[in-house]
């Protein structure tokens, strides 16, 4: 690659990377100033910095809901909803209500909602804005209301800890950075080749190809949920949060361990085995949290009787 083009590329790329660590207001101001420069590469960087600033803006509760609804639509396209378990679905939503009323964020825009996926997988996922999906296979694998509460509490934790929102923000900023880099490289190349028209066009085509490769495909948040899941640390955080939430709501938090052991014993591909870290490590982390809280739970017999009745249409 021509040294002049490479220099412009590196200046553009590293200036953007460094500036992403400043505030949104600073990015926007610098973007305005650079956008007025006569050099097309500098102007391109300036305009893209304003784009990054906009991408970094906070996501409102309303934004979360509508983003979550869009993601929920994609999930139901991949996992059709189970339509023959109205009783169980209402029951799951009642458990969810009991948990969120004892949480730090009992009310969110449009509220929380639990739906059942028609899949044999042992799986569960949640979206920004309060949508929670639990597979038929997971429900069939549970043996108590407390075990179901552990699953729902884990998904509530992801929502309240804003793990999906964090992923969306990172995706938006990353997309803006890669787009900035591509635009800057191509503008620098256009300018260079207009001034050096005698050079071989193959070099220009190679440069365009390299720039396009910088635009790695931005996976939708639904693909992260279905295919790769959250980070290990986020999963540990969600387990810890769920255990404390279960204790507050009167459920037996040790049932989180029971669910994790079931996942550990389940060797099928897909589901939680694909989107969550190894259960063995999660069990160790959960045990540490359980040592710090009160494990007492009341009315277990009542809950067990209710569990057997309410899940009968799906068992």
């Amino acid at each position: 690659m021509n040294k002049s083009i490479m220099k412009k590329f590196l200046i553009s790329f590293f200036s953007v990377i460094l500036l992403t660590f400043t505030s949104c207001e600073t990015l926007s101001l610098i973007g305005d100033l650079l956008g007025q420069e006569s050099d097309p590469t500098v102007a391109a960087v300036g305009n893209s910095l304003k784009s990054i600033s906009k991408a970094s803006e906070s996501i409102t509760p309303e934004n979360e809901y509508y983003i979550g609804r869009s993601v929920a639509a994609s999930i139901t396209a991949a996992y059709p909803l189970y339509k023959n378990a109205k009783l169980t679905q209402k029951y799951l939503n009642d458990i969810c209500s009991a948990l969120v009323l004892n949480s730090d964020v009992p009310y969110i825009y449009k509220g929380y909602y639990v739906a059942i996926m028609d899949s044999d997988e042992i799986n569960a996922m949640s979206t920004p804005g309060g949508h929670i999906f639990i597979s038929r296979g997971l429900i069939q694998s549970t043996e108590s209301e407390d075990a179901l509460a552990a699953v729902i509490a884990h998904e509530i934790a992801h929502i309240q800890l804003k793990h999906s929102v964090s992923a969306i923000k990172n995706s938006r900023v990353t997309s803006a950075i890669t787009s900035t880099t591509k635009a800057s490289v191509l503008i620098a190349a256009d300018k260079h080749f207009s001034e050096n028209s005698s050079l071989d066009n193959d070099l220009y085509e190679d440069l365009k190809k390299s720039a396009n490769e910088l635009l790695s495909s931005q996976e939708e948040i639904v693909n992260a949920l279905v295919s790769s899941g959250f980070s290990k640390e986020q999963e540990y955080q969600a387990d810890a949060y769920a255990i404390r939430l279960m204790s507050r709501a009167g459920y037996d938090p040790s049932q989180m361990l029971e669910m994790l052991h079931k996942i550990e014993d389940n060797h099928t591909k897909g589901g939680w085995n694909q989107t969550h870290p190894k259960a063995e490590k999660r069990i160790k982390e959960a045990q540490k949290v359980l040592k710090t809280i009160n494990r007492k739970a009341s009315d277990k017999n009542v809950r067990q009787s209710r569990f057997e009745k309410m899940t009968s249409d799906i068992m």
Side-chain angles (χ1 to χ4, degrees):
M1 184 183 292
N2 182 281
K3 289 183 178 180
S4 174
I5 299 173
M6 178 61 78
K7 181 179 179 181
K8 286 181 180 288
F9 169 78
L10 292 175
I11 290 172
S12 301
F13 182 72
F14 286 110
S15 66
V16 172
I17 294 298
L18 290 173
L19 287 172
T20 57
F21 290 97
T22 65
S23 68
C24 295
E25 293 80 3
T26 303
L27 284 179
S28 184
L29 177 59
I30 294 173
D32 285 334
L33 293 173
L34 294 180
Q36 298 171 15
E37 290 293 321
S38 58
D39 185 287
T41 303
V42 176
V45 173
N47 290 331
S48 293
L49 285 179
K50 289 188 287 184
S51 174
I52 293 172
S53 174
K54 186 173 181 62
S56 301
E57 292 174 0
S58 60
I59 298 174
T60 67
E62 290 85 356
N63 292 152
E64 285 186 41
Y65 170 75
Y66 287 109
I67 291 170
R69 192 170 71 170
S70 176
V71 172
S74 297
I75 291 174
T76 56
Y79 293 90
L81 295 183
Y82 190 69
K83 299 179 181 179
N84 300 321
K86 292 181 180 179
L87 186 65
T88 301
Q89 188 153 296
K90 181 183 182 302
Y91 176 51
L92 297 179
N93 278 279
D94 288 343
I95 295 173
C96 181
S97 295
L99 290 165
V100 297
L101 286 174
N102 287 278
S103 74
D104 295 333
V105 191
Y107 305 105
I108 60 175
Y109 184 74
K110 298 286 188 180
Y112 299 84
Y113 182 74
V114 186
I116 302 171
M117 299 181 292
D118 191 6
S119 171
D120 291 328
E121 286 184 4
I122 294 180
N123 205 355
M125 57 189 79
S126 56
T127 78
H131 310 80
I132 297 172
F133 295 88
I134 299 178
S135 70
R136 173 173 46 77
L138 189 150
I139 296 171
Q140 290 172 329
S141 74
T142 59
E143 298 176 0
S144 69
E145 180 174 314
D146 294 61
L148 278 177
V151 175
I152 296 172
H154 178 89
E155 298 307 324
I156 291 171
H158 280 310
I159 294 168
Q160 296 192 1
L161 294 172
K162 296 186 178 294
H163 288 160
S164 291
V165 172
S166 175
I168 291 168
K169 283 185 177 179
N170 289 339
S171 176
R172 289 165 71 189
V173 173
T174 300
S175 178
I177 291 171
T178 54
S179 296
T180 295
T181 305
K182 178 184 177 183
S184 300
V185 171
L186 292 181
I187 288 174
D190 284 334
K191 181 181 179 184
H192 179 82
F193 278 92
S194 66
E195 296 170 352
N196 301 272
S197 57
S198 61
L199 293 179
D200 193 331
N201 282 337
D202 287 344
L203 179 59
Y204 178 61
E205 293 302 321
D206 287 343
L207 181 61
K208 281 177 63 177
K209 182 178 179 181
S210 297
N212 281 315
E213 288 174 354
L214 288 170
L215 276 176
S216 58
S217 58
Q218 298 300 316
E219 296 293 328
E220 296 289 341
I221 190 66
V222 63
N223 290 332
L225 289 169
V226 175
S227 303
S228 58
F230 296 109
S231 71
K232 290 181 179 180
E233 287 306 315
Q234 287 175 324
E235 293 297 348
Y236 301 149
Q237 289 171 11
D239 285 342
Y241 190 101
I243 287 169
R244 296 187 179 96
L245 182 53
M246 290 177 69
S247 180
R248 283 193 211 174
Y251 285 108
D252 179 3
S254 67
Q255 285 298 301
M256 176 63 76
L257 292 180
E258 293 302 313
M259 282 307 302
L260 291 174
H261 280 299
K262 282 188 176 295
I263 294 166
E264 186 178 37
D265 295 338
N266 175 40
H267 302 294
T268 59
K269 293 182 179 179
W272 275 33
N273 285 330
Q274 179 174 317
T275 60
H276 291 67
K278 290 184 177 180
E280 181 182 3
K281 176 62 175 174
R282 290 178 66 190
I283 289 169
K284 290 180 180 179
E285 294 298 317
Q287 287 172 333
K288 295 177 185 177
V289 180
L290 283 167
K291 290 179 181 178
T292 68
I293 64 171
N294 184 353
R295 299 194 192 188
K296 291 182 180 179
S298 59
D299 301 325
K300 291 190 75 171
N301 291 335
V302 173
R303 290 201 300 278
Q304 186 61 30
S305 175
R306 182 168 59 202
F307 167 81
E308 292 172 2
K309 177 182 177 181
M310 294 296 187
T311 59
S312 60
D313 62 343
I314 200 170
M315 300 302 282

